[in-house]
Amino acid sequence: MANRSRHVAASKVVPRSAKQIPPSSTVRISTPRMASAPKPAKRWQWGWFWSLLLLLAAGGGIFGSVQFSLQLIVNPQKLLWINQWIPGWIPTQVNGLKPPKTFAELRAEAHQNGQTLGEPLTLGKNQSALDNSPVTDVLIPVLAKRTNCSSHCERIVELRLYQASTISSSIKGRSEPHYQFVNQLPIGGLEESFVIAPLVDARSVDQGSSAVLPLTKWQRFAEKAPRPGVWLLLSGEWDEGDATIAYGQVLHYNPEQLHLSSKLQWTSPAGQLPEWQEITGGGMAELVVDQTIGMEPQFEIYQVKPLNFRPSPLQLEPISLAEFFLSDATYQTAITFARSGLWSESWQRFQSFKQTGKPASLTAQAQAQMDLIRWHSQATETQANQSWASPSQQVLADLIDGRWANALQVFESSTETSLETRTILKADMGRLEKRVKAALRINPGQLEAKTWGALWVAARTDRNRAILWLKKQPRTKPSDLTKITHLLQRLEASQLDLP
């Protein structure tokens, strides 16, 4: 009994759960896991992170508020865009802007400052920056008088942007436009060195001065100008003897942001204003600046490209021949000819390139180059095909278009033509020389181009140096040398039977 009692007592201290485990089972003893608090180090790291984030946010908010407040005090008109979403948030009384005025009042105010106002230029309908009411955007140039001048004596010194609306006037009981000032753009002129650059030989000592030439005229591009926004043109004229060069700036106005910006400075020895023409297709016109000098066609063509700047989202980018955008040999030969002014020859190479079935790989940049070349080739071809009163002019037109054989026929047609051609070659600033070198670089055996190279050297130096130049050229046969030497004599009056 005593043993049984001890056995019963012992069984009472065994946990109940232990009795339910079969003898053959493997027993895994685990310690109950108690819920523990986050580790102090990790909790401190997260607290530090959120504290720093809140501190930076608060600092940024304070800095932004200070900047906003300073802008509101110093130049509140730059914050008028807020009124597009919160009408009247910056009213006229606190935005630093003067109340709307009539044009007569604006003119009187300018007169007090020794300035005058030009004719207003309407830019289109818009919404008021103050209260979203319908208004008309108007550009008014501010003019200042030039000293010591005989014509166009007022230059543009500033462009002011106003929003005009009709307000009833208590005077005489009638309504008249009132102009609310919203923005302005200072205007300077163009340096003389830039204006005359196309006329100046790179080897010339006189490259023009840094004197500023004024802008005196303003207008809006009426036709073909791309959207969005409004494109404007400022211009002036530089006169020197018989030469008149037109020059100026192209500007863009973004009505959504009330922003006016200058996009391009231009100069035209031909005296022509830039025009919008669709050159590359795609429905958007390009800006064409005519830089033709005499019979030498030259055009700068600019494409409208996006700009990652909200106030002014567009820019003008020139089509350039400075780079190769394809590795194809025919394409690169075409670009080489174009760089030297052999536009028709370049265009013919491009047509050969198109016939190979490779245009599918033509990049947008290469396509633009092809369109630029086509535009020039049309000009040189038209010029060479027309009838000229002077045979020497026909020679020059043929040379510009790379028609070497045709130019030689006219050159040999008369004594007078030969001597006049000498004058043309002697006055060349290197453009004809570049054409001859390009033609011979691609085809060293081209006899007619080689002949004109010798004639060019002889006209600028003498016959002996021309013959020496010929002997250095590859693929020059003795018969070629004899024929060209005979033609060189036609440049010398003493060797010709003059009447």
Side-chain angles (χ1 to χ4, degrees):
M1 290 295 292
N3 292 335
R4 184 177 181 183
S5 299
R6 285 195 297 269
H7 177 75
V8 170
S11 65
K12 289 181 180 180
V13 299
V14 176
R16 183 179 179 182
S17 59
K19 293 181 179 181
Q20 298 174 355
I21 301 175
S24 61
S25 302
T26 301
V27 179
R28 176 179 296 177
I29 300 175
S30 61
T31 304
R33 182 174 298 176
M34 297 180 64
S36 59
K39 293 181 181 180
K42 189 173 183 180
R43 179 173 56 186
W44 179 87
Q45 290 175 356
W46 278 104
W48 176 85
F49 172 77
W50 287 110
S51 298
L52 179 61
L53 187 62
L54 290 173
L55 182 62
L56 290 175
I62 293 172
F63 179 77
S65 299
V66 171
Q67 289 288 97
F68 184 86
S69 301
L70 288 175
Q71 192 71 260
L72 187 63
I73 295 171
V74 177
N75 198 7
Q77 55 267 32
K78 287 191 175 181
L79 301 175
L80 288 178
W81 55 269
I82 297 178
N83 286 350
Q84 298 179 13
W85 290 275
I86 311 177
W89 197 85
I90 302 181
T92 305
Q93 290 79 2
V94 299
N95 66 13
L97 302 180
K98 296 180 180 180
K101 297 182 180 181
T102 64
F103 185 73
E105 291 171 335
L106 294 175
R107 187 162 46 193
E109 187 178 79
H111 182 71
Q112 292 177 355
N113 297 325
Q115 299 172 328
T116 59
L117 298 184
E119 192 67 24
L121 198 62
T122 300
L123 302 181
K125 300 294 183 181
N126 204 348
Q127 290 182 331
S128 171
L130 298 175
D131 56 12
N132 280 347
S133 61
V135 292
T136 300
D137 291 341
V138 178
L139 189 72
I140 300 180
V142 180
L143 311 176
K145 288 187 177 180
R146 299 165 53 203
T147 57
N148 302 323
C149 72
S150 57
S151 62
H152 303 299
C153 292
E154 289 185 320
R155 62 185 180 93
I156 305 171
V157 295
E158 186 177 79
L159 295 177
R160 293 181 183 174
L161 180 65
Y162 292 87
Q163 291 191 322
S165 59
T166 301
I167 300 177
S168 298
S169 174
S170 58
I171 303 176
K172 299 181 181 180
R174 63 183 182 183
S175 298
E176 57 182 323
H178 282 64
Y179 298 86
Q180 174 65 61
F181 170 81
V182 291
N183 210 341
Q184 63 187 11
L185 180 67
I187 298 296
L190 276 66
E191 288 192 2
E192 182 186 77
S193 57
F194 170 82
V195 171
I196 68 173
L199 290 177
V200 177
D201 185 352
R203 295 163 293 188
S204 175
V205 176
D206 185 11
Q207 298 290 325
S209 70
S210 59
V212 177
L213 302 181
L215 297 168
T216 58
K217 301 176 183 178
W218 60 98
Q219 65 186 78
R220 174 178 177 175
F221 282 104
E223 298 180 357
K224 300 182 180 180
R227 295 182 181 275
V230 179
W231 293 90
L232 305 166
L233 181 66
L234 305 181
S235 62
E237 290 184 352
W238 181 86
D239 297 315
E240 185 69 21
D242 295 334
T244 298
I245 301 179
Y247 61 88
Q249 292 185 22
V250 175
L251 301 98
H252 181 259
Y253 171 60
N254 180 11
E256 291 186 0
Q257 298 292 321
L258 302 176
H259 188 81
L260 189 66
S261 57
S262 178
K263 295 299 180 183
L264 175 71
Q265 291 187 343
W266 59 271
T267 179
S268 173
Q272 300 296 318
L273 298 180
E275 294 182 348
W276 290 98
Q277 298 282 345
E278 189 170 345
I279 308 297
T280 63
M284 180 173 286
E286 285 77 29
L287 186 69
V288 181
V289 179
D290 188 353
Q291 292 192 338
T292 298
I293 301 175
M295 294 175 63
E296 184 71 41
Q298 182 64 46
F299 300 93
E300 294 286 341
I301 300 179
Y302 297 84
Q303 293 179 300
V304 178
K305 297 290 185 178
L307 179 65
N308 188 22
F309 182 55
R310 185 180 178 187
S312 182
L314 300 177
Q315 63 180 331
L316 291 173
E317 185 177 291
I319 300 176
S320 173
L321 299 175
E323 294 183 56
F324 291 129
F325 293 104
L326 297 174
S327 59
D328 182 83
T330 305
Y331 156 80
Q332 293 189 1
T333 300
I335 296 298
T336 300
F337 276 132
R339 290 172 180 172
S340 303
L342 291 171
W343 301 106
S344 292
E345 183 68 29
S346 174
W347 178 240
Q348 290 174 12
R349 295 300 175 108
F350 255 121
Q351 288 178 315
S352 298
F353 171 75
K354 291 170 64 177
Q355 292 173 0
T356 62
K358 296 179 181 178
S361 63
L362 204 62
T363 64
Q365 296 95 329
Q367 178 65 53
Q369 290 177 326
M370 186 172 71
D371 293 325
L372 172 71
I373 291 169
R374 174 179 52 82
W375 185 268
H376 280 85
S377 69
Q378 290 174 349
T380 57
E381 184 178 0
T382 300
Q383 181 172 262
N385 287 337
Q386 74 181 69
S387 298
W388 293 94
S390 168
S392 61
Q393 288 180 319
Q394 183 65 60
V395 170
L396 181 57
D398 286 334
L399 291 176
I400 289 174
D401 199 41
R403 303 183 183 187
W404 314 115
N406 290 354
L408 280 176
Q409 290 179 2
V410 182
F411 170 75
E412 297 180 78
S413 63
S414 70
T415 299
E416 291 79 10
T417 301
S418 298
L419 294 178
E420 288 176 6
T421 301
R422 175 189 176 93
T423 303
I424 291 175
L425 296 176
K426 195 170 183 178
D428 176 51
M429 297 172 62
R431 292 182 173 89
L432 295 180
E433 179 189 19
K434 285 176 61 177
R435 286 177 167 89
V436 170
K437 287 184 176 180
L440 293 179
R441 184 163 59 250
I442 302 299
N443 183 6
Q446 191 172 6
L447 180 60
E448 292 84 0
K450 194 178 299 185
T451 301
W452 280 109
L455 290 170
W456 186 89
V457 174
R460 299 180 67 86
T461 57
D462 55 55
R463 182 170 40 154
N464 292 332
R465 292 189 183 183
I467 294 174
L468 181 63
W469 177 86
L470 267 176
K471 291 180 178 179
K472 292 181 179 180
Q473 302 306 307
R475 303 183 189 178
T476 302
K477 302 175 183 178
S479 57
D480 296 339
L481 186 61
T482 302
K483 180 178 180 180
I484 296 175
T485 301
H486 175 72
L487 290 174
L488 292 176
Q489 296 177 356
R490 299 191 64 85
L491 295 177
E492 301 175 14
S494 60
Q495 302 294 325
L496 299 175
D497 296 329
L498 297 177

